[in-house]
Structure formats: structure tokens, C-alpha cells
Amino acid sequence: MSETINRPGRRIARPATVTLKHVAERAGVSPITVSRVINTPDAVSEALREKVGRAVEELGYLPNRVAGALASAESRVVPVIVPSLSNAVFIEVIQGVQEVLEVAGYQLLLGNTQYDLQREQDLAATLLGWSPAGVIIAGLRHTDRTRAMLQAWRRPVVEIMEHGTRAIDMNVGLSHYKAGDAMGEHLVSRGYREIGFIGGRLKADYRALHRYKGLERSLARHGLRRRPPFTHESKSSPQLGGDAFMRALDASPDLDAIFFANDDLAVGAILRAQREGIAVPKRVAIAGFNGFGIGELVQPSLTTIVSPRQQIGQIAANKLIARMQGRESGAASVDVGFTLRVGEST
Amino acid sequence: MSETINRPGRRIARPATVTLKHVAERAGVSPITVSRVINTPDAVSEALREKVGRAVEELGYLPNRVAGALASAESRVVPVIVPSLSNAVFIEVIQGVQEVLEVAGYQLLLGNTQYDLQREQDLAATLLGWSPAGVIIAGLRHTDRTRAMLQAWRRPVVEIMEHGTRAIDMNVGLSHYKAGDAMGEHLVSRGYREIGFIGGRLKADYRALHRYKGLERSLARHGLRRRPPFTHESKSSPQLGGDAFMRALDASPDLDAIFFANDDLAVGAILRAQREGIAVPKRVAIAGFNGFGIGELVQPSLTTIVSPRQQIGQIAANKLIARMQGRESGAASVDVGFTLRVGEST
DNA sequence: CTGAAAGCGCTTACAG
DNA sequence: CTGAAAGCGCTTACAG
């Protein structure tokens, strides 16, 4: 299956690939025509479609997307750059993006920054080298170079997860600050007065920090005590949530409610409380953020803020595709909002 | 930022991109040299590296990976084709793959077949068009054309999740049949005699079916009653697990143990049992498959089979990279095995 | 509806 | 350690 080609100044052994040219020869048409049959079948006669289709079949031709991308200066690939894959939130967003991209014939190129903005910058540089049709990237916060790079790039960019002004191009997300504030209001309205916050890596996960800040604002509004967050450095998990919960109660026995940075932690706390015989919400109330299904099943069920995760991915992908296809994509910035889901835990 | 180029038979408006040539001019060297500095910096003098590096900086040059891939007939991209993104198992596998690929400088191209082998075939055809360096694909079962396509392809392929003979190339996984058998043996040894199985979409998710078959074999060995599986058509979730659990007990009150196709379902059943006041394992034992962390936190803790998911991804990626770099990758086929984790639920 | 020519931005395989 | 020439497999922008 391998042939050696000899030409002046060149001698290479490449696997004998079936190319557009071979298909064209077989079908007795020009390569251009084959290209058309493949890319814009509607602009071509039925007879041609059939003739070329047969040649494609017989030769087992696989279009070389790389060559196509180089010639057209655009590939049907969309990088999705997220800070983490261990957080189910991003998985659901990716799912939403993937669903929509697939239907439109685009491929998803996965980038994981691990909450590191420098890594994000390197990743963005590499991924832009693929001439993608557009980019979806988590967050509004980037290095100056990343921003400059994406801004200078002349293709659609959607920043997701948080909603704000000053987006590079398009933006789909919600206000984490308002979400934290809303949870604060809920807890206060339920009569809780000694309210704490548990969350990890708040420097990197600044959206979680915004939720904390929102909570703080709400507490300040009611003249309640604002405590520093109980933090940790490992990635969130139910196990960690349970441990952090016990530590926090130990350190601050006066706490009567805890807002967790996410549902993973909060669900872990509820399960741990159950095991330890700590009454929730009687001894201490527990609240989360995300709205994962499991929160409705644990006992007591979890009060949490539901973010429309999959929807964020879908909207972002749809806006991207609209713009890539030259259609209008609606408002540049979309606030998808959030919902407070009150469970038994508060 | 856009220039119009006029040449015989051609007139296009393309954004003015900085290319290798521009960098070469700026640095006063040839494009080949720039290419070397970028791709094999060790094979180049310190002075050159600096000179070229400066030009790259000044011009904000981003290497065009598409052109590179076309010229070298290989891209530093690896498609990972999985049947689902809503199943955490595949997420963890993807995480493992991603970690390893990133370090080696490869990008992950995500493919989701939605448990549809025809879609898998189309996806594989498209993704091979990207001249990837290798392919990771879930399962040993594919359409004949997919198999033929991957077999004819002259680059490394790793089939993951299940272990078996007759792999296309390399294989990393475990025997789901043996896992089901092992769980059967465990349940029988605990004294359970009326053992059921709950799992969905067993035709598509044939690995879950293998676990059921393994259970059946174990039951047959002990002369115990083999029941048809309780199935459903929606995707697995704790919510669904709880519902299916109630339905199964309703339909077959004599059940004294249930093996769930996965931990999502089993955890849901445990939480539901708790709400309904059904004693686990006294009234009915519950077992799962996966080994997710949450299973250790629910009450009673879940007996399950732990599959090394992240490890599967890592091993697969490492084998791929070894082969792509021309190194030996060890055995073509790796059985990663599984562990029975006995909790309080059996 | 169909085709000839040129070019996309790199890398390869030599020679020096 | 460095460079000139050719080519990777497509698509674009015309003309017919």
C-alpha cells in the first residue's frame, strides 16, 4: 500500500492515499466537480452526484479535512476551552455544545486550562492555529495576551459561564454575584443569622468567589456577620464537602447555615451530616449551587441555585453557528439567569 | 488588516496573516530555519533560537497547524470516540486521556456516538480526515466498515473500556462478563437467592449486557433462578434508578437483591429506599458497578465493582503516544481488571 | 452546471 | 547547523 516517489530534490515514502484526484479520474470528471459534489451536493446535477458518489464508494475515499481547511482557511472545528473536566458543570456545558455542533457538522476540540490563565493562553494560541470556525471559552477573565489574540482574530468568540460587560465578542452566562446574593436573601428570610461559606481554590475559581461576594453583600444589607470563607486547595468532591463541613462546624460551632460553593460539596455535607447524626436544617442549614439532580434525592433534599448549564452550551453553540453562517445571532450578550430551588435542607 | 491580492485567475481578500515567511524575513533567515526553531529547537543554535524567537514575538506569529499537518501528513490531534457524555465513566476516561495527551502536546478531538454504531462510522470517517496521529475509540464492537477503515489506516488505534481478543490494534479494558460474574458470586455468598438485574438500553450498552450475562452465569452455577433484566429506555440517572427500583420491587416482591447496571442507578435506588423506608440490605440488597465516590457516602454505603476508569484513559493515551513516537508500547492488549468494593448495601 | 490554474502555509529530503 | 525546491490535497474565483 506504499509507494516511493522519486522526483528531483525529493524522495519520500508516503502511504498511497486516495485523493480527490483519484476520485475525479475514476468518475471521469474534474477534481473541482468532485469537491462540489461533496461540499455542495445541491448545486450539482443528480447524475453527477451518482457518478461521483459511486467513485467515492469504490475507492473508499475519505476527504482530507486538513487540506480543505488550508485551502479555505477555515476548518469545521470549534475549540471549547474550559477550566476543568472534573466539574460536572463543564461536562454538561460541553454536552450542550457538542449536541448543537454535531448537527451543524462541526467537530469539538477540547481544551482544559486547569484553572490556569497562562495555560489558557498557550492553549488558545495552539488551538487558533487550527483555523477553527469559532471559539467557545469559559470565563470573561483572561490574560491580556489571550484577550488581544482573540480580539485580533476575525472569527466569532463566545465567552461562557458568567455574564458581564466587556466581553471579547459574544457572551452567554449568568451573574454569580447575584446568585450568591439571592442565596443570602433566602437564608436570611428563613431566619438564619450565622451564615458561613465553604468553597475551594477561590482565587482560581473566581466565579465561586463572586458567589461568596454576593452572599457577603446580602449579609451586609441585613447587618449580619460576614465571615471569611472556609477554603481548601483540593478539587471539589462530596467527600471533601463532608470533611470541610465537619471542620467548619468544629471551628465555628455557632454557624447555623452554610452556603457551599457547589452541589458536590453540599451533597457531601448532607450525606456526612446524616452519618454523624447532625440534624439538617435544625442544627445547621445547608445550601448549594448548580442544581444537580442528586440534590433532590438526598435526605433532606438540597436547597440550591439551578444554573442552566446545558442551555449555556447550546445557546453558545447556536450563536456561534449563526455567526459562522453569516446569520444574525441575536444579542451579543445573554444572561441566562438562575433559579433558586428550595429543598428541605434550609 | 485585510489585503486584496490580485493575480491571474485569482482575486481573493484574505486577512493578512503572519506566516512563517514573514517571521523568516524579519529574522533574516530562511523559512525552513524558522520551522526548525519552532519544531525542533534543540537541533538549532542558541543564537538562532533567540533571533527567531524575537521575530515570532514581535509579529505575534501563530503557527498554522493545518498547513503543518498537511505538509507532514500528520496532525497532533487524537480523536476520542465515546458512546456518551452523560455517563461519568466516559468523562473520567476522557480526563485520563486528556491529561496524558496534553503533556505530550496533543489535542483531543471529541466524538460522541450516542451509542449508535452507524454514527460511530460516520464520525470515524470524518475524524480520520483530520490526519490524526492516532485514535482512541470505545468498545470492541463496530460496524464492519468502521473496522475495515481503522484496520486499513496505518496509525495506532486503541479500543478501550472492554477487554477482549480480536482488537483492531491495541486494547485497554476489562471483562464486564467477569465483573458481573464476580458480583453474582458475592451476592450468592452473602446468602441472597432471588437476584435481579436493573439496567437500561442493554442492546446499545452491550457492556452492561455482558455484566448481566456474567451475573446469569454465576446464578446458573449455583442453580439459582435467572430472571430477565428489568430494563428501561432512558439514560441512566439516580432519579431513574430510584423509579426502576420501586417498579422492580412492585413487579417482583420476592427479590432479595438487585444488581444495577451502574452506580448512578444504584445510588438512586439507595436514596429512594431511604425515603421510602425500605431497609437495605435487610429487605433487599443493592449492588452497583463503577465505583464512584458517592457510593461510599450514601447510607448504607454501596457495594459495587470499581473499574479503573481514569487509568484506562491514561494507559490508552500512553500506549498511543509510545507508538506514535516509535517506541514500544508493551502488550497490545491490557486487562486492567476490576475490584469488588463491599459496602453496607449487601 | 462544469473546468484550468493558482495558491493556502507549512515540511521533507536532500546537499552543503 | 542552514537553505532552495517541491509538494501535501484541497478550494477559490473566475470564465464558459
Side-chain angles (χ1 to χ4, degrees):
Chain A
M1 280 294 271
S2 183
E3 57 183 282
T4 302
I5 306 161
N6 272 290
R7 290 222 187 68
R10 180 169 180 84
R11 195 181 81 214
I12 52 158
R14 274 216 196 206
T17 326
V18 178
T19 71
L20 205 60
K21 213 162 100 184
H22 299 123
V23 175
E25 280 163 12
R26 178 75 148 236
V29 296
S30 79
I32 306 171
T33 302
V34 177
S35 172
R36 268 199 209 95
V37 172
I38 289 168
N39 296 314
T40 51
D42 296 334
V44 124
S45 74
E46 174 61 35
L48 246 182
R49 237 175 309 172
E50 194 161 305
K51 192 161 59 170
V52 171
R54 208 175 314 119
V56 166
E57 281 298 313
E58 288 169 3
L59 297 173
Y61 171 63
L62 296 178
N64 185 327
R65 315 269 161 189
V66 175
L70 180 59
S72 68
E74 174 163 323
S75 68
R76 291 179 83 77
V77 154
V78 175
V80 177
I81 303 176
V82 295
S84 160
L85 292 177
S86 32
N87 186 336
V89 168
F90 296 108
I91 301 306
E92 295 185 29
V93 170
I94 288 170
Q95 271 182 65
V97 170
Q98 202 273 134
E99 274 171 25
V100 174
L101 287 187
E102 172 170 6
V103 173
Y106 290 83
Q107 246 58 52
L108 193 161
L109 202 50
L110 196 60
N112 179 0
T113 72
Q114 311 205 48
Y115 281 111
D116 178 339
L117 294 185
Q118 186 53 48
R119 186 172 256 157
E120 179 185 80
Q121 178 180 306
D122 299 344
L123 211 45
T126 301
L127 295 176
L128 289 191
W130 282 103
S131 303
V135 166
I136 295 177
I137 186 168
L140 290 167
R141 193 178 287 185
H142 315 284
T143 66
D144 289 344
R145 291 198 53 169
T146 304
R147 277 190 72 86
M149 207 158 58
L150 290 172
Q151 212 125 36
W153 198 56
R154 283 157 303 267
R155 298 252 168 79
V157 174
V158 189
E159 288 166 283
I160 57 172
M161 305 319 291
E162 72 213 76
H163 180 256
T165 50
R166 301 171 47 76
I168 295 172
D169 180 5
M170 295 181 283
N171 173 227
V172 180
L174 57 100
S175 166
H176 292 258
Y177 190 77
K178 285 184 193 162
D181 188 322
M183 185 55 87
E185 291 301 305
H186 166 73
L187 292 172
V188 171
S189 78
R190 286 289 211 207
Y192 301 105
R193 290 297 173 264
E194 298 296 336
I195 302 172
F197 180 92
I198 295 182
R201 298 194 279 190
L202 296 181
K203 193 135 191 185
D205 186 1
Y206 63 90
R207 282 180 289 275
L209 183 63
H210 286 171
R211 302 196 280 276
Y212 168 72
K213 295 278 182 196
L215 172 70
E216 265 198 321
R217 179 173 66 171
S218 164
L219 297 182
R221 189 183 298 128
H222 296 280
L224 295 173
R225 176 165 167 201
R226 287 171 284 168
R227 308 158 184 264
F230 296 89
T231 61
H232 49 259
E233 281 312 308
S234 358
K235 73 178 190 197
S236 289
S237 71
Q239 173 72 56
L240 181 62
D243 294 345
F245 174 65
M246 297 308 290
R247 277 202 308 274
L249 285 187
D250 225 48
S252 308
D254 60 320
L255 285 169
D256 63 10
I258 301 177
F259 178 24
F260 287 81
N262 58 60
D263 280 4
D264 282 337
L265 297 172
V267 164
I270 285 184
L271 294 173
R272 185 64 172 273
Q274 204 172 72
R275 281 205 177 265
E276 305 278 350
I278 298 171
V280 175
K282 200 152 177 245
R283 160 70 186 85
V284 60
I286 291 178
F289 175 90
N290 287 148
F292 293 145
I294 189 92
E296 299 186 275
L297 303 176
V298 292
Q299 203 163 17
S301 61
L302 179 66
T303 292
T304 187
I305 283 178
V306 187
S307 64
R309 305 170 294 278
Q310 202 137 350
Q311 218 189 98
I312 290 176
Q314 290 166 345
I315 296 175
N318 275 320
K319 289 176 85 66
L320 209 64
I321 289 170
R323 279 271 295 277
M324 293 182 314
Q325 299 179 343
R327 287 183 284 121
E328 240 330 294
S329 57
S333 187
V334 176
D335 184 349
V336 294
F338 55 84
T339 319
L340 176 70
R341 189 171 77 204
V342 179
E344 305 153 346
S345 69
T346 55
Chain B
M1 279 295 271
S2 184
E3 58 181 286
T4 303
I5 305 163
N6 271 292
R7 291 223 187 66
R10 181 170 182 83
R11 194 182 80 214
I12 53 162
R14 272 212 198 209
T17 326
V18 178
T19 70
L20 205 60
K21 214 161 100 184
H22 299 123
V23 176
E25 278 161 15
R26 179 74 148 236
V29 298
S30 77
I32 307 171
T33 302
V34 177
S35 172
R36 268 198 207 96
V37 172
I38 288 168
N39 296 314
T40 50
D42 295 335
V44 123
S45 74
E46 174 60 35
L48 247 180
R49 236 175 308 173
E50 197 161 304
K51 192 163 58 173
V52 172
R54 209 174 314 120
V56 167
E57 281 298 313
E58 288 169 3
L59 297 172
Y61 170 63
L62 295 178
N64 184 325
R65 314 271 161 190
V66 175
L70 180 59
S72 68
E74 175 164 322
S75 69
R76 290 178 82 77
V77 153
V78 175
V80 177
I81 302 174
V82 295
S84 161
L85 291 177
S86 33
N87 186 335
V89 168
F90 297 108
I91 301 305
E92 296 187 27
V93 169
I94 288 169
Q95 270 183 65
V97 170
Q98 203 271 135
E99 274 172 27
V100 174
L101 287 187
E102 172 170 7
V103 173
Y106 289 84
Q107 246 58 52
L108 193 161
L109 202 51
L110 198 58
N112 179 1
T113 72
Q114 311 204 49
Y115 281 111
D116 178 338
L117 294 185
Q118 186 55 47
R119 188 172 254 158
E120 178 184 80
Q121 179 179 304
D122 298 344
L123 209 46
T126 301
L127 295 177
L128 289 191
W130 282 103
S131 304
V135 166
I136 294 177
I137 186 168
L140 289 166
R141 193 177 289 184
H142 315 286
T143 66
D144 288 345
R145 291 198 54 171
T146 305
R147 278 190 71 88
M149 207 159 56
L150 290 172
Q151 211 125 37
W153 198 56
R154 283 156 305 267
R155 297 250 169 81
V157 174
V158 189
E159 288 166 283
I160 57 173
M161 305 319 289
E162 71 211 76
H163 180 256
T165 51
R166 302 172 44 79
I168 295 172
D169 180 4
M170 295 181 281
N171 173 228
V172 180
L174 58 98
S175 166
H176 292 257
Y177 190 77
K178 284 183 192 163
D181 189 325
M183 186 55 88
E185 291 300 305
H186 166 73
L187 292 172
V188 172
S189 77
R190 287 288 211 206
Y192 301 106
R193 292 295 173 265
E194 299 297 337
I195 302 172
F197 180 92
I198 294 181
R201 297 196 278 188
L202 296 181
K203 194 137 192 181
D205 186 0
Y206 63 90
R207 282 181 289 276
L209 184 63
H210 285 171
R211 301 196 279 278
Y212 169 72
K213 295 277 182 198
L215 172 70
E216 265 200 319
R217 180 172 66 170
S218 165
L219 297 183
R221 189 183 298 128
H222 294 281
L224 294 175
R225 175 164 166 202
R226 287 171 285 167
R227 306 160 184 262
F230 296 89
T231 61
H232 48 260
E233 281 313 307
S234 0
K235 74 178 188 196
S236 290
S237 71
Q239 175 71 56
L240 181 62
D243 294 345
F245 174 65
M246 297 309 291
R247 278 202 307 274
L249 284 186
D250 225 49
S252 309
D254 61 319
L255 285 170
D256 63 7
I258 301 178
F259 177 25
F260 287 80
N262 58 58
D263 280 3
D264 282 337
L265 297 172
V267 163
I270 284 183
L271 294 174
R272 184 65 172 272
Q274 204 172 71
R275 281 205 177 265
E276 306 279 351
I278 298 171
V280 176
K282 200 151 179 247
R283 160 69 185 86
V284 59
I286 291 178
F289 175 90
N290 287 149
F292 292 145
I294 189 91
E296 299 186 273
L297 303 176
V298 293
Q299 202 161 19
S301 62
L302 178 66
T303 291
T304 187
I305 283 178
V306 187
S307 63
R309 304 171 294 280
Q310 201 137 351
Q311 218 189 99
I312 290 176
Q314 290 167 343
I315 296 174
N318 275 320
K319 289 174 85 68
L320 209 63
I321 290 169
R323 278 271 295 276
M324 294 181 314
Q325 299 180 342
R327 288 184 283 120
E328 241 329 296
S329 58
S333 186
V334 176
D335 184 349
V336 294
F338 55 84
T339 319
L340 176 70
R341 189 171 77 204
V342 179
E344 303 154 347
S345 69
T346 56

